[in-house]
Amino acid sequence: MMLRKSIYKSPAQLRSMVEPGRITAAALEALRPLVRAGVSTAELDAEASRVIIARGAESNFKLVRGYRHTTCISVNEEVVHGIPGDRVLQPGDIVSVDCGAQFQGWNGDSAVTFIVPGDAPSDVLARRQELSRVTNGSMWAGIAAMASASHIGDIGAAIQDYVEAQGPSVVSGESYGILREYVGHGIGRKMHEAPSVFNYRTPDAGAEIRPGLALAIEPMLTAGGEATFVEDDDWTVSTVDGSDGCHWEHSVARHENGIWVLTAPDGGAAGLAPFGVTPTPIA
Ligand code: MG
Ligand code: MG
């Protein structure tokens, strides 16, 4: 008989996830000053790899079958799973970088979005900054729900409600799309564990939110339609209508005394403040 592993972790197990979360955050933060016009996505990947190895960890993306890189880097109409390579960043590009570290058998997973500084059309810049702000806000809305909601389905509802409350883009007039085929997930000994965390309202309430739950919450939005396709490289997920995509992600623990964002250096304090939630370190 197959025993189904509990999705809930012990306090000691959650504590083991603090350091891989910090290392993941450090790898992504190291890229911020490097995201400039003229830099290749392979150079960003190399820096993330250097930081993870220097901290005594390893890339968990490289443990995914068939994937050889430390990051996924998705530019403009690419939403997620872009492969780092020769592509050179241009001023105004919207660049989502997804990265994860495994340390002593435990995992972190996080994604941030940058806008490449420089001389780009102001309407393009404004549109992309707004897309990143809405995607980031929807992620924090989902994370905040983890502090008070009763079921995982409430996280997706909070994300969808946040996006819809923004209304259409004030720059383009288009409504935002939420990807349906790609979702967040449990995280722990493996980067991808049960349960799935939908970024939208579903009929199923999902599992209970209670101490021991560790989730990667990762809304993927577009500045247009929700339809995507996988490019010929078998990885990169791009929008069908060519609209820009955006991805933000954090790994979050629910524990006895509240929530802690494992992949945010401040535990999520700044991002959660607008939602009236104060993160608490894992005891
Ligand atoms: Mg990720
Ligand atoms: Mg993830």
Side-chain angles (χ1 to χ4, degrees), residues 79 131 134-135 138 163 176-179 219-223 244-247:
V79 194
L131 172 63
V134 172
T135 308
S138 74
V163 173
Y176 293 102
I178 302 176
L179 263 59
M220 292 151 261
L221 266 59
T222 76
D244 293 325
C246 184
H247 180 211

Side-chain angles (χ1 to χ4, degrees), residues 128-147:
R128 289 176 171 164
Q129 281 158 356
E130 188 187 39
L131 172 63
S132 183
R133 180 184 60 75
V134 172
T135 308
N136 177 271
S138 74
M139 172 190 68
W140 286 109
I143 294 170
M146 213 172 146

Side-chain angles (χ1 to χ4, degrees), residues 183-194:
V183 299
H185 49 90
I187 181 165
R189 284 277 188 196
K190 291 186 177 151
M191 177 167 60
H192 294 130
E193 295 184 350

